């Protein structure tokens, strides 16, 4: 009975659909293939840019705003889907009223009539513009970072300025897409400061030119002051460079990026890349170019050191080793999966080359990587070089604590300190705190550099030495490169952790929904049912598998196992709708399995549930006459689901195979078939979802054969033990959800076995 104030099932189903489509931001459409009439909701019309356009009601309306280049391919996909009576999947562009373009993903399903003719297509639209743009940008950023590792390796092999220029010029094109690159180096001309520019010329190697030190160009300013410039276009150039715009234009350059080349004594030049058109300088682009500049700086200094006497030769060899270490560091950081692994890579293969005995990652907590004080506490991850007491003392620190690494993480300032006194001078009035910590840690020289992500300071990388040390320009550049690569690795790890956390939350929600619907089965007299549900190991594989077992008014026991197509939250929600619809139809109608599934199919269509599923429905019947003879009959109807497994009293297994009917949700007008076999006392029935038998690297036939052989071997066990052993053998890392219902029929001329437990019969069945 339905309560007087209960919401009708069709209203409830429609409300659920509206909530689901709103949450997923999906548009719905329906195309009558016999009349060309098109019904589409407001969200779909908005995606097509036709919210304010008059509509004819025919499918040709969509052509008005589909991009001309995409109309023919889309028409071909539609024609093929209709011809094959199958599924449409298409991605295409629409032109909005303001001239902008959006990328849509349409998915549809062709429906056929009783004659098998295609009569209707229903589907959804999704706006994937931002998703595709983000995917393209993420892929480009990852590819460019990978190329930068190769650039570091090539710069490590460079033996001259011309070699460096060649690597820089090739990298400017392959990594940044620039049309020109130049090295602008400080020089003296007739005793006065000047700039020497090196550019690559096809067939002529490097071309050198002199430039005044005060030339009104971003590259000149970066080479003399150490200021980085990222100018998106000439007409957006700062006023200080307007006098040089004519020369800028003559070179065919519109946008430029310039980063300083630095040494331990200061700026010695700049790296400049130019573009013929406007360039949008994202924080990731700026950080990449800054790292490129640091690598280039180190390569040039290494080359110049090779020309010096014995000390310079030694320094050059060390620089080459550091270049190799930088490449190895970048490759190892790509494999790191946690903050601790990042620290291990940096301290093991990185800063140890500098003679450092320990390293610290000082990371900000709280806030969104905003201003200087958005994190109230800093976390410090330290290497085992430091004593346990020191590690405990610095595990959590306030943002104003007097340590160079804290200042770098809070202010973004870099520190290269040759001894303890240099560290003490940074914090006047608090020298005692600094001295005690440096003494306890056994630290003398130290360095601390800020870690940045998308332009914001997120922490610092600090290294400690057990003696005094003067930081050379090579070492400073190396540490800057280490820090940049470390920041990139941490950003990747934090993004992956956030993604996994979000996936886990979705998984918990859907699994909770599924388990809330997977109720305890009945236990009718002389029948014993066991059920199991095991979710997929992969967080993203949220499925729509379910089972159900219930008794109807005539005392018959019904068993259902189903699997909604898809692996997402919508699939789990649709599973709940289908499960409740089927249970209600079976209980109210008391009909046979084929009729119940036919009614379910019609309800899915009429209530616009918008889901497809495989379902097998079985019914254990026993009339009074059959009961007197100790007989039972098993009826079933299969909507595209794996066949149930029946094991006879003799322990021989066979699948209840038949030509399966169509999936629920495809063509409700197509009649469904029904089958029946005697259910002998002592028989065991196993009904399951495909997650139990499908495995990577094995065919479905192999999985079904494994199940039959396994259940035959377990025939003498209880159904509870059979279910447990099956799940044990498939292991805890199943690739799809697993649902199992096992039934054992006992002889009725004997007492109900104790292993079956008490009778649980919610229906007033005989017995």
């Amino acid at each position: 009975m339905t309560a007087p104030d209960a919401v009708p099932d069709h209203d409830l189903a429609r409300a659920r659909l509206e909530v689901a489509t709103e949450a997923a931001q999906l548009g719905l459409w329906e195309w009558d293939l016999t009349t060309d009439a098109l019904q589409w909701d407001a969200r779909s019309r908005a995606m097509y840019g036709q919210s304010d356009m008059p509509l004819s009601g025919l499918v040709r309306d969509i052509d008005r705003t589909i991009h001309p280049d995409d109309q023919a391919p889309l028409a071909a996909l539609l024609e093929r889907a209709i011809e094959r009576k199958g599924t449409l999947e298409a991605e295409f562009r629409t032109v909005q009223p303001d001239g902008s373009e959006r990328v849509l993903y349409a998915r549809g399903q062709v429906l056929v009539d009783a004659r098998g003719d295609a009569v209707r297509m229903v589907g959804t639209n999704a706006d994937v513009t931002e998703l595709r743009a983000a995917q393209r940008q993420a892929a480009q950023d990852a590819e460019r970072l990978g190329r930068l590792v190769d650039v570091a390796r090539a710069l490590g092999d460079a033996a001259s300025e011309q070699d460096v220029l060649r690597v820089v010029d090739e990298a400017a094109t392959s990594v940044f897409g620039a049309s020109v690159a130049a090295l602008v180096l400080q020089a003296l001309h007739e005793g006065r400061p000047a700039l020497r520019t090196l550019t690559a010329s096809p067939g002529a190697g490097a071309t050198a030119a002199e430039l005044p030190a005060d030339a009104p160009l971003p590259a000149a300013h970066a080479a003399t002051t150490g200021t980085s410039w990222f100018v998106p276009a000439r007409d957006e150039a700062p006023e200080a460079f307007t006098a040089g715009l004519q020369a800028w234009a003559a070179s065919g350059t519109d946008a430029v990026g310039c980063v300083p080349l630095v040494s331990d004594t200061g700026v010695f030049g700049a790296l400049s890349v130019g573009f013929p058109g406007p360039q949008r300088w994202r924080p990731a682009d700026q950080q990449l170019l800054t790292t490129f500049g640091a690598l280039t700086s180190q390569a040039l200094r290494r080359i110049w050191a090779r020309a010096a006497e014995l000390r310079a030769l030694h320094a050059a060899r060390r620089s080459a080793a550091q270049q190799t270490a930088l490449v190895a560091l970048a490759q190892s950081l790509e494999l790191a999966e946690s903050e601790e692994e990042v620290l291990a890579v940096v301290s093991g293969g990185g800063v140890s080359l500098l003679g450092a005995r320990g390293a610290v990652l000082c990371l900000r907590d709280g806030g969104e990587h905003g201003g200087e004080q958005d994190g109230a506490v800093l976390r410090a991850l330290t290497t085992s070089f430091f004593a346990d007491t020191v590690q405990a003392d610095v595990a959590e620190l306030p943002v104003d604590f007097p340590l160079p690494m804290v200042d770098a993480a809070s202010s973004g300032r870099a520190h290269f300190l040759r001894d303890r006194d240099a560290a003490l001078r940074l914090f006047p009035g608090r020298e005692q705190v600094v001295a005690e910590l440096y003494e306890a840690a056994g630290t003398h020289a130290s360095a601390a550099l800020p870690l940045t992500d998308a332009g914001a300071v997120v922490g610092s990388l600090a290294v400690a030495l057990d003696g005094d040390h003067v930081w050379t320009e090579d070492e400073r550049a190396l540490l800057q490169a280490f820090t940049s690569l470390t920041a990139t690795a941490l950003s990747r790890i934090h993004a992956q952790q956030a993604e996994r956390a979000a996936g886990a939350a979705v998984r918990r929600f859907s699994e909770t929904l599924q388990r809330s619907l997977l109720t305890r089965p009945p236990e009718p007299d002389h029948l014993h049912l066991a059920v199991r549900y095991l979710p997929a190991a992969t967080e993203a594989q949220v499925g729509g598998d379910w089972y159900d077992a219930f008794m109807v008014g005539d005392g018959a026991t019904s068993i259902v196992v189903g699997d909604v197509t898809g692996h997402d939250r919508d699939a789990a929600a649709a599973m709940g709708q289908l499960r409740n619809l089927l249970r209600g139809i079976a209980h109210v109608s008391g009909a046979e399995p084929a009729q119940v599934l036919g009614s379910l199919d019609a309800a899915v269509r009429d209530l616009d549930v918008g889901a497809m599923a495989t379902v097998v429905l079985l019914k254990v019947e026993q009339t009074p006459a059959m009961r007197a003879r100790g007989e039972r009959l098993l009826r079933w109807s299969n909507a595209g689901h794996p066949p149930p497994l029946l094991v006879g009293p003799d322990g021989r297994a066979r699948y209840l195979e038949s030509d399966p009917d169509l999936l629920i949700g495809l063509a409700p007008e197509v009649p469904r078939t029904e089958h029946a076999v005697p259910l002998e006392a002592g028989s065991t029935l196993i009904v399951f979802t495909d997650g139990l038998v499908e495995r990577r690297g094995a065919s479905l036939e192999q999985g079904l054969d494994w199940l039959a052989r396994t259940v035959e071997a377990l025939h003498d066990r209880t159904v509870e033990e059979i279910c447990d052993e099956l799940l044990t053998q498939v292991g805890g890392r199943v690739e799809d959800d697993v649902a199992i219902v096992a039934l054992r029929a006992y002889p009725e001329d004997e007492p109900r076995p104790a292993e079956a437990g008490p009778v649980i019969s919610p229906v007033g069945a005989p017995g």
Side-chain angles (χ1 to χ4, degrees):
M1 298 293 292
T2 303
D5 59 346
V7 178
D9 287 347
H10 66 276
D11 289 342
L12 184 59
R14 183 168 295 278
R16 287 172 173 164
L17 177 60
E18 290 176 356
V19 170
T21 55
E22 177 66 27
Q25 290 295 293
L26 294 176
L28 302 176
W29 54 270
E30 182 176 342
W31 178 17
D32 190 330
L33 301 179
T34 62
T35 64
D36 256 1
L38 177 66
Q39 297 181 28
W40 49 344
D41 61 12
R43 186 175 292 111
S44 287
R45 293 196 299 272
M47 293 179 188
Y48 278 77
Q50 298 191 29
S51 296
D52 299 323
M53 292 184 182
L55 303 176
S56 69
L58 299 178
V59 74
R60 65 171 179 263
D61 288 340
I62 67 174
D63 291 335
R64 294 183 296 183
T65 51
I66 293 178
H67 194 284
D69 294 343
D70 295 347
Q71 290 184 9
L74 178 59
L77 290 174
L78 286 167
E79 182 178 351
R80 182 166 59 186
I82 295 171
E83 179 183 350
R84 297 182 178 179
K85 303 179 181 63
T87 300
L88 167 73
E89 287 192 69
E91 192 165 303
F92 52 90
R93 295 165 292 172
T94 61
V95 181
Q96 303 298 303
D98 61 0
S100 62
E101 295 179 3
R102 307 295 295 176
V103 180
L104 304 188
Y105 170 77
R107 181 178 177 86
Q109 178 64 49
V110 176
L111 304 181
V112 299
D113 59 15
R115 297 189 305 273
D117 296 329
V119 296
R120 190 174 301 274
M121 184 182 290
V122 296
T124 60
N125 291 317
D127 189 331
V128 296
T129 306
E130 284 73 22
L131 174 62
R132 294 294 182 261
Q135 289 173 338
R136 289 193 299 272
Q137 189 61 66
Q140 291 171 2
D141 288 345
E143 181 182 6
R144 292 196 305 169
L145 184 59
R147 290 177 179 175
L148 198 60
V149 174
D150 295 331
V151 171
R153 185 182 293 110
L155 287 172
D157 295 333
S160 65
E161 288 182 354
Q162 186 166 336
D163 288 343
V164 172
L165 181 62
R166 175 183 52 79
V167 173
V168 167
D169 187 67
E170 292 174 355
T173 301
S174 63
V175 177
F176 297 93
S179 59
V180 64
L183 296 176
V184 183
L185 307 175
Q186 293 182 6
L188 290 176
H189 180 68
E190 297 180 352
R192 292 177 297 180
L195 297 172
R196 181 169 58 98
T197 64
L198 299 177
T199 56
S201 299
T207 298
E210 295 292 333
L211 191 69
D214 58 354
L217 295 172
H221 193 268
T224 55
T225 67
T227 302
S228 295
W229 290 99
F230 303 96
V231 183
R234 281 196 306 271
D235 56 8
E236 297 182 45
E239 185 177 354
F241 305 134
T242 55
L245 289 182
Q246 184 175 0
W248 196 343
S251 67
T253 300
D254 190 10
V256 297
C258 305
V259 294
L261 303 175
V262 297
S263 68
D264 55 356
T265 59
V267 181
F268 67 85
L271 168 64
S272 176
V273 294
F275 303 82
Q279 170 75 7
R280 181 170 62 93
W281 287 102
R282 301 175 301 118
D285 300 326
Q286 297 180 23
Q287 182 173 345
L288 196 67
L289 186 59
T290 300
T291 302
F292 188 19
L295 295 173
T296 303
S297 298
Q298 187 174 7
L300 287 171
R301 293 194 304 275
R302 175 180 52 79
I303 290 168
W304 293 336
R306 285 178 178 173
E309 297 293 339
L310 182 60
R311 181 185 60 82
L313 179 60
H314 173 74
R317 290 174 177 171
R318 185 179 183 187
S319 179
Q322 291 172 348
Q323 286 280 3
T324 303
L326 179 61
V327 174
L329 177 74
Q331 293 171 334
S332 298
L333 285 175
E334 288 180 350
L335 303 176
E337 297 183 354
S338 66
E339 294 172 348
E340 291 76 11
E341 289 185 9
V342 169
L343 178 62
V345 170
V346 173
S347 61
V351 299
S352 60
L353 285 176
L354 302 171
R357 295 288 304 279
V360 181
L361 281 178
C362 188
L363 304 176
R364 304 184 69 147
D365 268 349
E368 291 295 329
H369 299 169
E372 293 187 356
Q373 299 295 326
D374 56 336
V377 175
L378 297 172
R379 291 185 296 112
L381 304 179
T382 56
T383 59
S384 58
F385 164 71
F386 300 104
D388 292 343
T389 55
V390 175
Q391 295 184 47
D393 288 342
V394 300
E396 289 189 357
L397 297 170
V399 294
D400 59 349
F401 194 82
L403 278 177
M405 68 178 185
V406 174
D407 183 72
S410 301
S411 68
R413 290 186 289 265
H415 300 287
F416 296 92
L417 309 171
R418 64 179 299 167
D419 51 29
R420 289 183 186 175
D421 289 341
L424 299 180
R425 288 193 294 270
L426 288 177
F427 306 100
R430 308 181 73 179
E431 293 90 347
Q432 185 64 29
V433 176
V434 181
E436 290 176 355
L437 268 176
Y438 266 61
E439 178 66 28
T443 299
H444 289 261
S446 60
L449 290 85
L451 297 166
T452 60
D453 182 8
V457 178
V458 297
S460 66
L461 171 64
V463 297
L465 283 73
D466 56 3
D468 295 348
H469 180 75
V470 176
W471 296 97
T472 67
E473 60 183 82
D474 280 349
E475 293 167 340
R476 295 185 184 213
L478 184 65
L479 270 176
Q480 289 167 351
F482 282 174
T483 303
S484 181
L485 292 171
T486 300
T488 300
L490 289 172
S491 176
R492 171 182 55 80
I493 290 169
H494 293 160
Q496 291 173 343
Q497 290 172 342
E499 182 179 353
R500 285 194 291 268
V506 172
R507 179 69 194 183
R508 287 192 297 272
F509 166 82
S510 297
E511 187 178 332
T512 300
L513 173 62
Q514 288 175 309
R515 291 193 182 279
S516 70
L517 297 175
L518 304 180
T519 55
R520 180 180 180 181
E523 292 288 353
D525 191 19
H526 290 87
L527 291 178
H528 179 34
L529 284 91
V531 295
R532 295 293 187 273
Y533 171 72
L534 179 64
T538 304
E539 293 288 357
Q541 295 297 305
V542 178
D545 295 28
W546 92 93
Y547 67 77
D548 200 2
F550 53 89
M551 297 177 67
V552 293
D554 62 359
T557 299
S558 293
I559 298 172
V560 185
V561 174
D563 185 359
V564 177
T565 59
H567 291 89
D568 53 24
R569 189 180 301 193
D570 293 340
M575 175 270 292
Q577 297 182 60
L578 293 181
R579 181 258 193 193
N580 292 334
L581 278 172
L582 190 150
R583 175 180 273 237
I585 293 169
H587 190 274
V588 171
S589 68
E592 302 302 342
Q595 185 178 346
V596 171
L597 290 187
S599 299
L600 174 64
D601 215 355
V604 168
R605 175 198 60 197
D606 298 341
L607 300 178
D608 200 14
V609 175
M612 292 186 294
T614 66
V615 181
V616 60
L617 171 61
L618 305 98
K619 187 176 182 182
V620 181
E621 301 179 353
Q622 188 180 53
T623 65
M626 294 172 65
R627 181 177 179 84
R629 297 192 300 269
E631 299 175 353
R632 299 184 181 89
L633 186 67
L634 177 65
R635 293 185 186 274
W636 80 92
S637 183
N638 192 336
H641 199 79
L645 179 67
L646 181 62
V647 184
D650 58 358
R652 294 184 179 181
R654 67 185 179 101
Y655 284 100
L656 301 179
E657 294 182 298
S658 59
D659 292 334
D661 296 336
L662 295 176
L663 275 67
I664 297 296
L666 276 180
E669 66 277 5
V670 177
R672 295 193 172 275
T673 58
E674 187 170 284
H675 315 275
V677 295
L679 183 63
E680 301 178 72
S683 297
T684 303
L685 178 70
I686 305 294
V687 193
F688 54 92
T689 57
D690 54 9
L692 181 63
V693 294
E694 288 186 347
R695 294 291 176 274
R696 191 183 306 275
S699 67
L700 178 60
E701 289 73 14
Q702 291 173 319
L704 292 172
D705 182 62
W706 162 81
L707 178 61
R709 288 186 287 100
T710 302
V711 177
E712 283 182 341
L714 299 172
H715 176 61
D716 293 335
R717 306 272 193 95
T718 68
V719 287
E720 299 285 353
E721 292 172 338
I722 291 174
C723 290
D724 290 338
E725 180 60 25
L726 289 175
L727 294 184
T728 298
Q729 291 197 24
V730 299
R733 298 291 298 176
V734 293
E735 299 170 6
D736 196 0
D737 293 354
V738 174
I740 305 174
V741 178
L743 177 142
R744 173 71 55 77
Y746 294 105
E748 297 193 80
D749 57 354
E750 300 176 5
R752 179 182 176 90
E755 68 189 37
V759 174
I760 302 176
S761 178
V763 176

